[in-house]
Every structure is written in structure tokens, then in C-alpha cells.
Amino acid sequence: MKGGLAGLLPCLHWLRTYNRAIAAQDGLAAAIVTLMLIPQSLAYAMLAGLPPITGLYASILPLVAYALFGTSNALAVGPVAVVSLMTAAALGGIFPAGSAEYVAGALLLALLSGLVLVVMAVLRLGFIANFLSHPVISGFISASGILIAIGQLRHILGIKAAGHNAVDTLGALWRGLPATHLPTLAIGIAALAVLYLARAHLRGWLCRFGVAAGLAGNLARTGPVVVLLLAVVVVSLLDLAAAGVAVVGAVPGGLPPLALPPLDAGRALQLLPAAVLISLVGFVESVSVGQTLAAKRRERIEPNRELVGLGAANLAAAVGGGFPVTGGFARSVVNYDAGARTPMAGALTALGLALTVVLFTPLFRNLPQAVLAATIIVAVLSLVDLGALARTWRYSRPDALAMAATMLGVLLVGVETGILMGVGLSLFLFLKRTSEPHIAVVGQLPGSQHFRNVSRFQVVESPTVLSMRVDESLYFPNARYLEDRVAEQVSRHPGIRHLVLMCPAVNLIDASALESLEAIAERLRAAGIQLHLSEVKGPVMDQLRQSDFLDHFGGRVFVSHYEALLALDPETTQRALEAGG
Amino acid sequence: MKGGLAGLLPCLHWLRTYNRAIAAQDGLAAAIVTLMLIPQSLAYAMLAGLPPITGLYASILPLVAYALFGTSNALAVGPVAVVSLMTAAALGGIFPAGSAEYVAGALLLALLSGLVLVVMAVLRLGFIANFLSHPVISGFISASGILIAIGQLRHILGIKAAGHNAVDTLGALWRGLPATHLPTLAIGIAALAVLYLARAHLRGWLCRFGVAAGLAGNLARTGPVVVLLLAVVVVSLLDLAAAGVAVVGAVPGGLPPLALPPLDAGRALQLLPAAVLISLVGFVESVSVGQTLAAKRRERIEPNRELVGLGAANLAAAVGGGFPVTGGFARSVVNYDAGARTPMAGALTALGLALTVVLFTPLFRNLPQAVLAATIIVAVLSLVDLGALARTWRYSRPDALAMAATMLGVLLVGVETGILMGVGLSLFLFLKRTSEPHIAVVGQLPGSQHFRNVSRFQVVESPTVLSMRVDESLYFPNARYLEDRVAEQVSRHPGIRHLVLMCPAVNLIDASALESLEAIAERLRAAGIQLHLSEVKGPVMDQLRQSDFLDHFGGRVFVSHYEALLALDPETTQRALEAGG
């Protein structure tokens, strides 16, 4: 990491070489991303249980903040589906839906999330994201997609139906079905159909009509904003709002006032666990998008810097009337494909959205909620990858179990419970996997100084010296297992007077394993057997010298295992060396 | 594990060869342990917040159950200090002190604890105990000892003073000091002094007076029961109970009725987390005592069988009027030293305690609580080992931090919080430690087919092929780190067209790492670089074949790294081979 001001503000680096050509590329990318972000921002705010306009607010200042502090040239931050769902889950249990407290809670959550990310950056805690293994993240995103889609169906049907989990919600939808509002359903289905076709086929059709591939792709990306405008026109002309079609309604014009969210220590403490999870999930998603895009140009992003960038974006969301944000996959790819060269593209996108807020909010008054719901459903269903479960099951059962636990947790209990269940189960299975390392009894290969596993090779075993090779670092997950294996082998070899542990693969002996070694040495001594070590690596020896183990365990540390056997049972060893080769 | 009835009941095994000589040895050990257990059982029941007599109940049936199902020949189960403290902590927040519900809660807790242990045995989940690393257990026991000693001071002072944590309790003691009951204090201090001297010096004094060492040791162990009897005599003669010295009071005579504890699903669910922690701590302690004693005779215990034995003991405690029990260190050593040969010694101890309950309970009426408190204090202070913190700090900082967190948690917040903080921090630091494995860029040793770290050896690097060696299994804690290191090295080597990951030390590639490899391959391809693997172990290749990675990643898997370089950059490789040796 570079120091000084340029180290804190990566933008000082790229601004030095900024010119008109780069600006033109950034500008084009910004225009396309703006058009893409308008419907998404409105929709994800609704998903988070917030007034749709806050989605636009959350796409202005955070983008500027990320442009100043972030390192990815193409990452586009803003509201994303999964984080919006997590926001709704965090706030829903505490604040009444639609209340001013709920909106203030979202600001507080963004503030906490920003602080968590910045603290993680300062303390270099980015590795915590490793707790979220890939199967957990993948299962979490798939299940969230399903949960989100089910939750939005009520807007398509024009009914009220909510539940505590996916099954609950489906039940409520089923019971509410007779009350379906047909004009709303018609708009919803039309929007779903057009959005799906635009996403799946528009680009191909445009190409067939002779539009250049790049332009066709960019035009296809503006499908949602066109659908949105069409819907507003239809609803306004037919006065469908009066006919009972739920619309966004009056939206305050102008930019949001800058202000710190109301601070309440009790509330903050209550929201902190959710803020941590939101930060971690957002960080993992964002870094993986950022790395993928950076690699295409043989660049790289620095994960610790990304923490600062995302933290700044969330702090900006908190003071600018938004809610938690992170880097989105689809919009970042669009940004990249449209030619974004520097984070300036993000700042220009923010400008586009600010103009939208200032000039076009009256348009959104007649925007039907069913169209926003359709936007969400089409976007999130592309996140659902149920095949991943089968693929993971074929590859690794423990990973598939963790994924399944996460999905079931998210669908049947809740978003946070689901992810915690997945993390818990991964850690649990990881510990199980590492708790029984390979430990082999070894003997001398005749005619050589080499020692190999007695169950795989024809080797010579000393009648008085037992040799065991440990094929793993010794630390708390496996320390007691070592005690157990030693006890087992000693009870099977009644004639032995020495036990030599061969440690060429031991990279670490932690305090638990040291205690185990001491217990082993003491127990062996009580049974008239002396413990020795062989082939201990340098750093491990250095650490052992920090304890008094080497002074007290009574045995020797041999540089090679052959040397150990030569010292402890010269007769057998010499004979084996001279035996056929 | 042997199957059939003898597999389930290890006692069938040793009963076959049982004879009068063994019975005599077991009988002597049982007599000594009985005398030792009487004061301890009464005292630990008081520590658990229960009527002292329940301590004796908890030392009858559980011992019989362990004799039937356990595998250790010397382990003596019953109430122990730390588990009694955890019992008090679990029940204290839920039931009013001294109520019938509290006593019933203790039975339910023992039942749950027994079920947890049996379920762990059936599902072979003994490895879960590995979550409790040695520093956490050690810190937990030291801090518990301090907490227990502080908590018992009120009985010595004869005042009422309790707090939510150690600091709180000390404050309450300080404020209560003026109300000290002097006769109680005199008895308490006398008991403390005699017990301390008996523990520290009695054996030596007896030896000096010509008593044989073995007999002297056994006599010294009966010190507490003598103190207890003396105190009863003094209190009865001087009628000190009437003078305000708190005594045990009327104790129901006779054996407890056998009955299932009242079952209440809600309560059970509430107590389950505490029951799990109690089971784990009890199991870890018990296994470590059992292993130590078994090793002295070159025997071994099977941890999974111990789960069954301890589970049976706790279930027996639940139906026999007791509370959670486990194997105790001091009493097991006494049992062993006194010559116990089979678990029959435990059954005979149970008989001795049953006789005590039937015949001698009237004696306990005038037993001062201060003497029980003194028994507890002298016993638990021997558990406190503050030097361990300094020793661990010298040996390993992360382990010392986990130990300190556990101790602070236990002292300042509570028993359960403390152990959970320690476990959480150990897992966290463990993950941090494993999340950044050693990954080296390697080059060819001139004149050889060997490849070594470029920063340690004078080696030849190919201008078009980057070679990286991974010195650790690839799994979720380090998968993203690998992505990051690869991105870093690729950005430093602009000319390369191939990247070969050398995997001789990779024992596992889990689903997270597989995703990372796929992401790496894809990102490299986008940058015009092809990924290859070399020296992949057989089992890892077998697992990779379960996925479609090998078909899609576009590169080759080479048996040796030399072969890879020979295929990808024959010119440089050939030249390096022919260069000086």
C-alpha cells in the first residue's frame, strides 16, 4: 500500500493522467449505467421496505465516495438485491413498516455498516470474510433470490400478503389469491414478459436487424427503463391509479438534505450484528466482482482498499438519505462493457442520478409498484442457481451440506439465521475434517535410510522403538486425536521402550498441542517409555525453545529419523540398512 | 469397539476375571474415596445452590452407572467444582434460589447433559470437544476457581453477599464486611487453616512419625472428613447454631426416591445450551484424567465409550435426585493411588455413600456451612494457575489471548459467556492463522529438474511461464487469499502466457477453493494467460474428476513440475538443465 495522501485517496493517482478521451469513455458508460440504475434503485428501495426515492439517494453520494476511495475502475456501487433483503430483515423486526423510524433505522444501519467496513480495513480484518465459504455465499444468494421473488409476488397480484418465511408467505399468497387485482396483475405480467424478453433476446434481435453488437448490448440494458416509462404513460393515460393499481405516489423533489442519522446507542447495538453480516456479504460480493473485472485488464484490486471504498460509500449513504449499499455484479459488468476506464464513471453516474432526482421525480408518481416488483423478480431469478447444490454434492458432501443448511435456513427461518447456520456448519465440518489428520506408523525401508508407512511398504520395525509420522500441523483441532493415536499404538506394541514422533510435515505446534505433547511424554514415562522427536522444522524448534518442554520431556530431538533409530536401536537399524536393496 | 452386549457393557469384560484379591484392592480404594467424597459432595452441592444432601445423592447412582458403562478403571465420577459452578450459573438466572423448582431444574439439567453425551456418542461427535482448546479450558478452570473462591467467602464471613460477576461480588463482600459474624468467621478460618495444613503438610508429618508413605497419603486424604466431624462436634457442644452460625440443618434421611425429573419442553430448550457446555467441559476434563491414569498401566480408554459412561452417569444423577456430574481429577488420582483395579471400586464407593445417607445424615444437621465453604476454597484454589497465562504468552500470543479472553469473560461477565468468548476467539485466531498459507514463486535450480523459492535460491525463471507453489491444502479459509496472491504475481509478471500451480502439499481442494481455481482460470484466460496444475496428489485428482473443472479450465495437469516447464517453455528449461550444476 502506498502511503500519504495518494495512499488514502487512490483517485489522486488516476486523476493525474485523466484526459478528454478517457472522460468520453467514462461518460458513455455513466449514461448507460444511469439508465440501468434508475429502475433498479427504485425497486431495491421498495424491496428494503423504504420509499422508492431513497434508492436513488443511495445511488448518488455513495458512488462519489467510492470514486474517491475505491480502487476498482469498473465497480458500480449502489443498492443491490441481497443487501436490500438483509436490510428489510434487520429493520422489519424492530420498526413499524413505512414509519419515519424505519427510514431513520436504514440510515443508522448504513452508518454502522460503513463503520464496520472502515474498522475492518484499519485492523486489517478483511480475512473475516473467509468465514463465509463459497457454498454458504452461493446457497445464501440462491435462497435469497427465491425469497425475494416470492415476497414480490404480492405486488404483481395487487394483494396484501406477508409472512415470516418463504412457506408462510406462499401460504398468505394462496389465501390472498381470490382478492387478486386484475388490472395490477395485467401490468405485472406484461412487465415480467417484456423484461424477460428484453433480458434474454433483445440483444440478439437488435443484432439481427443490423445494429452493431456493442450498441445492441447497451440498448438491451436500457430495457427496464423503457418498460418503466411505458408503464408510467399507460397508468397516467388510463388513470389506473384511481382504478386501484398501487403506484409509487407523490415523491419529494430535489436532493436529500445532508445530515447525520439520529444516533441511539441502544438501537445501534441492536442493529450491529445485522450490520456486520451486511458488511461481510457486501464485501465478499464486491471483491469478487472487482477482482473479476480487474483481471480482464491484468490489473488487481486490493481487498483492504476495497473495505475503505465500500465503507466510505456506506457512510455517504448514511448522510445522504440512503441505506446500505455495495458493489453490484450486473451493473459493474455493464459499466465495464460500456467502456468505463476510471472511477470517474461512477461519479458521472451519480451526476446523472442527481439530475434525475432533481428533474424527473414527478414522473414516478404514477409508476406502478407491480413494474418495480417485476424488475426485481427478473433480476433476482438470474441469481438463483439450484444446480450448484447438485454440483457441489457431487464434488464435496460437507460443502453441499453447508450450502443446503444455508438455503433451508434462509427459506424457512430467516436471512440472518440462514447465513449463521451455514457459517456454523462450515466451521463445524471444517473442524471435523482437520481433527483427524493422517498419522502413520513407519518403518525402515530395507537397504535405505528412508522410513515409510508400515501398512503400505515392506519395512523393518524396531522391536523397542516405535516410529510415528505426523502428516499435519499440530494444533487444537487435532491435539487430542494425537494423544489418542499414541495411546492406541503404545497399547499395541507392548515391547517398546522409545517412541519417536517424526515431524517433517508439522508447520506449527500450538499451545494445545504442546500440552498434549507434554501429557504424552508424561504418560509414556509413567509406562517406562521415552518420547523423542525427529525432523522438526526450524521455526517449530524456535517456538518450542520458548517453552520449557525441551528441558523437561526427557527425550532428544534428532535431525533425521534415521539418526534417531541409529541412536536408539543401532542393531536393528544397521541390519536393515545392510539388508537387500 | 467390540460389538454385542459386552460392547455396550464393558463391565461384562472385567467381571469375568474378577476375584477376591482384586475385590480387596477395590474395597480399600472405595473406603478412602468414600471418606474423601462425603465433604466434597456436600460442599459442591452447596456451590451448585442445592441442598447439601443432593451432593451425596449425586455420588451414588452415577458411580454405579459409570461402573457399568465406563471404560476407565480408576476414574471416580461425582459432583466437581467447575461443573457445579456451571450448574449454579445455568439455574440461577431462571429459578428462585432454594426453591423446589431449582432442585427440579438441576435434575432436568443432569438429564439433558446425559442425553447430550449419549447423542454425542451415538453420532460419534466426540471431536466437538476439540472446539475447547487447551488454553480456553485452562483459563476457564483458573478463572472459575477464583470466581468460586470469591463466591464462598460470604459463608466464611457469615454474611449475605452475592453479585453478577467477580467484581460485583467483591463489592458486595466489602459492603457486607461490617456485618461479619465472628463465631462463623472463627470456624471458617480454623477450617481453612487445618484443611490447608492437611493438604500441604500432613502426609510429610505422618511420614516423619514413621507412618508408611502409602498409608500416610491415604490418611492425609481423610483430613477434610475429620475437619467436618470436628466441626459438627464443636457446633453441637457449644450450641453454636443457636448463636447464629449457619448450619446445614435438618436433612431428610434415607435414599432418594427414583423418579424421572419433571419434563417441560420449554424449560428443556432453555437449559439446553448450558447442558451442552456442561457436557463438553465435563467430557474434556474426564477424558484427560482417564487417559492420564490409563497410561500409567499402558492401558487406554476409548473417548467414545467415555461419552456413554458419562452420559449414563448423568442420566443416573437425573433419576436419583442429583445434578450434573463428571470425572473428578483429585478423587480419581486418590482412587488410583489407593489401588483401585476395576470400576467395581466406584460401585463400592457408591455403596459406602448410600450407607452414609441411610445411617449418618443426622450428623450433618449441625455441620457449619463455613466448613463446607472452606473445603471448596481449599480445593478450588489448587485449580488456579495464573502462571499458565505467562507461560502461554511466551510460547504463543494467539493462544494466550484466547486464554485471557476466557478468564476475563468468566470473571467479568459470566461462566458461559467466558467460555464462549474463548472458543470464539480461538476459532477466529485459528482461521486468521490458516488464512494466509505460504505460497512461493519458484524457479528451476540450474543443472537440475528441481524447482525452488525464487527469494531463497539462485534459480532460473521462465519469461513466459510463472510457477507458483502452494504449501497448504486449499480450502475456504485461504481460497480467496490464493486468488489475491495469483492476481498480485500476474500483475508483476507482465510477459507471462502460462501460470503453473505446483500442488505437492495440497491434500484437499474444497468447493470454495474449486470456485477460486475456476475464477482464477477464467480471469487469467481473459488476460490471455493459461492456468495449469502440476504434481497434484492422487486423492485430490480423484476429487477434481468429480467436478467439470478439468474439462473446462483449458490447461493441463502435469505429473512433475519439470515436465510442465519442459512442455510450456522447452528452450529456457533445457538451457537451465544444461547450465552449471
Side-chain angles (χ1 to χ4, degrees):
Chain A
M1 192 180 282
K2 296 139 215 143
L5 198 58
L8 189 64
L9 288 175
C11 57
L12 295 182
H13 198 65
W14 54 261
L15 274 177
R16 232 175 290 151
T17 53
Y18 206 72
N19 59 35
R20 191 179 292 189
I22 302 179
Q25 286 186 290
D26 283 346
L28 175 67
I32 293 165
V33 174
T34 303
L35 290 179
M36 181 180 175
L37 269 186
I38 293 171
Q40 279 197 3
S41 299
L42 295 168
Y44 292 147
M46 185 173 89
L47 169 57
L50 292 161
I53 190 75
T54 54
L56 293 178
Y57 296 166
S59 305
I60 300 175
L61 279 190
L63 273 72
V64 177
Y66 184 84
L68 290 175
F69 293 98
T71 52
S72 168
N73 288 331
L75 195 75
V77 301
V80 305
V82 171
V83 167
S84 298
L85 174 70
M86 294 177 83
T87 300
L91 301 175
I94 306 179
F95 306 101
S99 65
E101 291 94 331
Y102 192 103
V103 176
L107 295 175
L108 185 55
L109 196 60
L111 180 73
L112 289 171
S113 183
L115 290 176
V116 167
L117 288 162
V118 170
V119 166
M120 279 172 66
V122 171
L123 300 181
R124 308 210 134 246
L125 293 180
F127 73 92
I128 296 180
N130 293 339
F131 274 104
L132 302 174
S133 70
H134 192 275
V136 168
I137 285 283
S138 158
F140 180 69
I141 289 178
S142 281
S144 296
I146 296 172
L147 194 63
I148 292 171
I150 291 173
Q152 294 304 311
L153 283 179
R154 68 174 191 274
H155 294 297
I156 303 283
L157 295 168
I159 58 177
K160 293 205 185 306
H164 295 296
N165 59 42
V167 178
D168 232 28
T169 309
L170 281 177
L173 283 171
W174 178 251
R175 285 189 303 278
L177 215 50
T180 301
H181 188 252
L182 291 178
T184 303
L185 182 63
I187 292 175
I189 287 184
L192 278 174
V194 175
L195 287 169
Y196 171 74
L197 292 175
R199 175 180 277 260
H201 301 295
L202 186 56
R203 193 183 164 173
W205 291 338
L206 288 171
C207 284
R208 217 175 303 158
F209 282 100
V211 181
L215 181 61
N218 288 336
L219 282 177
R221 296 292 184 180
T222 61
V225 86
V226 173
V227 170
L228 189 145
L229 288 173
L230 276 177
V232 168
V233 170
V234 169
V235 169
S236 304
L237 288 182
L238 303 181
D239 199 13
L240 288 175
V245 170
V247 293
V248 167
V251 171
L255 294 170
L258 290 188
L260 264 184
L263 296 174
D264 174 337
R267 286 279 182 241
L269 213 60
Q270 207 174 357
L271 289 175
L272 188 60
V276 170
L277 278 186
I278 287 175
S279 304
L280 286 178
V281 170
F283 174 55
V284 168
E285 278 307 285
S286 201
V287 162
S288 107
V289 176
Q291 280 179 331
T292 301
L293 297 179
K296 292 196 185 186
R297 293 186 184 140
R298 290 199 181 199
E299 297 165 352
R300 61 187 286 262
I301 57 165
E302 199 176 335
N304 218 54
R305 284 291 181 71
E306 282 309 286
L307 285 171
V308 178
L310 286 178
N314 275 290
L315 293 175
V319 299
F323 58 97
V325 295
T326 191
F329 183 71
R331 71 191 65 164
S332 300
V333 172
V334 170
N335 198 29
Y336 178 89
D337 286 346
R341 292 281 300 275
T342 72
M344 180 62 87
L348 294 174
T349 304
L351 187 64
L353 288 161
L355 289 175
T356 307
V357 168
V358 171
L359 302 177
F360 301 122
T361 43
L363 271 180
F364 303 140
R365 167 192 265 279
N366 274 334
L367 176 60
Q369 292 181 359
V371 171
L372 291 181
T375 309
I376 295 175
I377 291 174
V378 172
V380 297
L381 285 185
S382 69
L383 301 177
V384 178
D385 178 9
L386 294 178
L389 190 56
R391 284 197 305 278
T392 307
W393 177 259
R394 261 200 315 280
Y395 184 70
S396 154
R397 302 286 152 92
D399 281 312
L401 284 178
M403 188 187 277
T406 311
M407 296 179 75
L408 287 177
V410 168
L411 290 175
L412 302 182
V413 190
V415 181
E416 290 169 15
T417 313
I419 206 161
L420 292 177
M421 277 171 63
V423 169
L425 193 60
S426 327
L427 280 176
F428 177 87
L429 293 171
F430 171 63
L431 201 73
K432 181 170 168 57
R433 214 185 285 194
T434 52
S435 69
E436 302 194 349
H438 192 237
I439 299 177
V441 174
V442 295
Q444 191 176 1
L445 272 181
S448 85
Q449 302 186 1
H450 297 303
F451 288 78
R452 292 282 185 280
N453 193 337
V454 296
S455 54
R456 300 203 184 185
F457 294 87
Q458 281 286 345
V459 290
V460 177
E461 281 186 87
S462 158
T464 55
V465 184
L466 178 62
S467 300
M468 292 176 78
R469 192 188 65 218
V470 182
D471 290 349
E472 179 66 271
S473 288
L474 292 174
Y475 37 29
F476 73 88
N478 60 34
R480 288 191 196 98
Y481 180 77
L482 176 70
E483 293 181 42
D484 208 40
R485 282 285 76 73
V486 167
E488 182 191 10
Q489 291 301 333
V490 167
S491 70
R492 280 197 198 156
H493 294 79
I496 62 160
R497 298 211 328 271
H498 300 276
L499 171 69
V500 190
L501 283 184
M502 187 179 173
C503 309
V506 176
N507 294 314
L508 173 78
I509 296 181
D510 81 351
S512 298
L514 183 69
E515 285 289 337
S516 287
L517 283 180
E518 279 172 354
I520 288 169
E522 204 177 303
R523 290 171 195 162
L524 289 177
R525 192 177 310 125
I529 303 170
Q530 180 57 54
L531 176 70
H532 306 272
L533 304 177
S534 76
E535 307 191 9
V536 180
K537 291 187 172 182
V540 176
M541 270 308 278
D542 290 347
Q543 201 183 6
L544 283 178
R545 287 201 190 92
Q546 300 299 310
S547 76
D548 54 6
F549 174 75
L550 294 175
D551 308 329
H552 287 76
F553 89 115
R556 293 169 57 186
V557 181
F558 297 95
V559 173
S560 80
H561 198 73
Y562 174 74
E563 196 181 283
L565 270 283
L566 204 57
L568 301 172
D569 184 1
E571 201 177 317
T572 310
T573 311
Q574 202 62 50
R575 207 164 46 222
L577 183 66
E578 287 155 11
Chain B
M1 190 179 280
K2 297 142 216 140
L5 198 57
L8 189 64
L9 287 174
C11 57
L12 295 182
H13 197 66
W14 54 261
L15 275 176
R16 232 174 289 152
T17 54
Y18 206 72
N19 59 36
R20 191 179 293 188
I22 301 179
Q25 285 187 290
D26 282 346
L28 175 67
I32 293 165
V33 174
T34 302
L35 290 178
M36 180 180 175
L37 269 187
I38 292 170
Q40 279 198 2
S41 299
L42 296 167
Y44 292 147
M46 186 173 89
L47 169 58
L50 292 161
I53 189 75
T54 54
L56 293 178
Y57 296 166
S59 307
I60 302 175
L61 278 190
L63 273 74
V64 177
Y66 184 84
L68 291 175
F69 293 97
T71 52
S72 168
N73 288 331
L75 195 75
V77 300
V80 305
V82 172
V83 167
S84 299
L85 174 69
M86 294 177 83
T87 300
L91 301 176
I94 306 181
F95 305 102
S99 65
E101 290 94 334
Y102 192 103
V103 176
L107 296 175
L108 185 56
L109 197 59
L111 180 74
L112 289 171
S113 183
L115 290 176
V116 167
L117 289 162
V118 170
V119 166
M120 279 173 66
V122 171
L123 300 181
R124 307 209 135 248
L125 294 179
F127 73 92
I128 296 180
N130 292 339
F131 273 104
L132 302 174
S133 70
H134 192 276
V136 168
I137 284 283
S138 160
F140 179 69
I141 289 179
S142 282
S144 296
I146 297 171
L147 192 64
I148 292 171
I150 292 174
Q152 294 304 310
L153 284 178
R154 69 175 191 272
H155 295 297
I156 304 283
L157 296 168
I159 59 176
K160 292 206 185 308
H164 295 296
N165 59 42
V167 177
D168 230 29
T169 310
L170 282 176
L173 284 171
W174 178 251
R175 285 189 302 277
L177 214 50
T180 301
H181 189 252
L182 292 178
T184 303
L185 182 62
I187 293 176
I189 287 183
L192 276 175
V194 175
L195 286 169
Y196 171 74
L197 292 174
R199 174 181 279 259
H201 302 294
L202 186 55
R203 191 183 165 173
W205 291 338
L206 288 171
C207 285
R208 218 175 302 158
F209 281 101
V211 182
L215 180 61
N218 287 336
L219 283 176
R221 295 294 184 177
T222 61
V225 85
V226 174
V227 169
L228 189 145
L229 287 172
L230 276 178
V232 169
V233 169
V234 169
V235 169
S236 304
L237 287 182
L238 303 181
D239 201 12
L240 288 177
V245 170
V247 292
V248 166
V251 170
L255 294 169
L258 290 188
L260 263 184
L263 296 174
D264 174 336
R267 285 282 183 239
L269 213 60
Q270 206 174 359
L271 289 174
L272 188 60
V276 169
L277 278 185
I278 287 175
S279 304
L280 286 179
V281 170
F283 174 56
V284 169
E285 277 309 284
S286 201
V287 163
S288 106
V289 177
Q291 279 180 331
T292 301
L293 297 179
K296 291 196 184 185
R297 292 182 184 143
R298 290 201 180 199
E299 296 165 350
R300 62 188 285 262
I301 56 164
E302 196 176 337
N304 217 54
R305 283 290 181 72
E306 282 310 285
L307 284 172
V308 178
L310 287 179
N314 276 291
L315 292 176
V319 300
F323 57 98
V325 295
T326 191
F329 183 71
R331 72 192 63 166
S332 301
V333 172
V334 170
N335 198 27
Y336 178 91
D337 286 347
R341 292 281 300 275
T342 70
M344 181 61 89
L348 294 173
T349 305
L351 187 64
L353 288 162
L355 287 176
T356 309
V357 168
V358 172
L359 302 177
F360 302 122
T361 43
L363 272 180
F364 304 139
R365 167 190 267 280
N366 273 334
L367 176 58
Q369 291 180 358
V371 171
L372 291 181
T375 309
I376 295 175
I377 291 173
V378 172
V380 297
L381 284 185
S382 69
L383 301 177
V384 178
D385 178 9
L386 292 180
L389 191 56
R391 284 197 305 279
T392 307
W393 177 258
R394 262 201 314 281
Y395 183 70
S396 155
R397 302 285 152 91
D399 281 314
L401 284 178
M403 188 187 274
T406 310
M407 296 179 76
L408 288 177
V410 168
L411 291 174
L412 301 183
V413 189
V415 181
E416 289 169 14
T417 313
I419 205 161
L420 292 178
M421 277 171 62
V423 168
L425 194 60
S426 328
L427 279 177
F428 177 85
L429 294 170
F430 171 62
L431 202 72
K432 181 171 166 57
R433 213 185 284 194
T434 53
S435 69
E436 302 195 348
H438 191 239
I439 298 177
V441 173
V442 295
Q444 190 176 2
L445 274 181
S448 85
Q449 303 186 359
H450 297 301
F451 289 78
R452 293 281 185 279
N453 193 337
V454 295
S455 53
R456 300 203 183 184
F457 294 87
Q458 283 285 345
V459 290
V460 178
E461 281 186 87
S462 159
T464 56
V465 183
L466 178 61
S467 299
M468 293 177 76
R469 192 188 66 218
V470 182
D471 290 351
E472 178 67 88
S473 287
L474 292 174
Y475 38 28
F476 73 88
N478 60 34
R480 288 192 197 97
Y481 180 75
L482 175 70
E483 294 180 42
D484 207 40
R485 283 283 77 70
V486 167
E488 182 191 9
Q489 291 302 333
V490 167
S491 69
R492 280 198 198 155
H493 293 78
I496 61 160
R497 298 211 327 270
H498 299 276
L499 171 68
V500 189
L501 283 184
M502 187 178 171
C503 308
V506 175
N507 294 312
L508 173 78
I509 296 181
D510 80 351
S512 297
L514 182 69
E515 285 290 338
S516 288
L517 284 180
E518 280 173 355
I520 289 170
E522 203 177 302
R523 290 171 195 162
L524 289 177
R525 193 176 312 126
I529 302 169
Q530 181 56 54
L531 176 69
H532 306 272
L533 304 176
S534 77
E535 307 191 9
V536 180
K537 290 186 172 181
V540 176
M541 270 307 279
D542 290 346
Q543 203 183 4
L544 283 179
R545 288 202 188 93
Q546 300 299 310
S547 75
D548 54 7
F549 174 73
L550 294 175
D551 308 330
H552 287 76
F553 89 115
R556 293 170 59 187
V557 181
F558 297 95
V559 173
S560 82
H561 198 72
Y562 174 71
E563 197 182 284
L565 269 284
L566 205 57
L568 301 173
D569 184 2
E571 201 177 317
T572 311
T573 312
Q574 202 61 49
R575 208 164 44 225
L577 183 67
E578 286 155 11

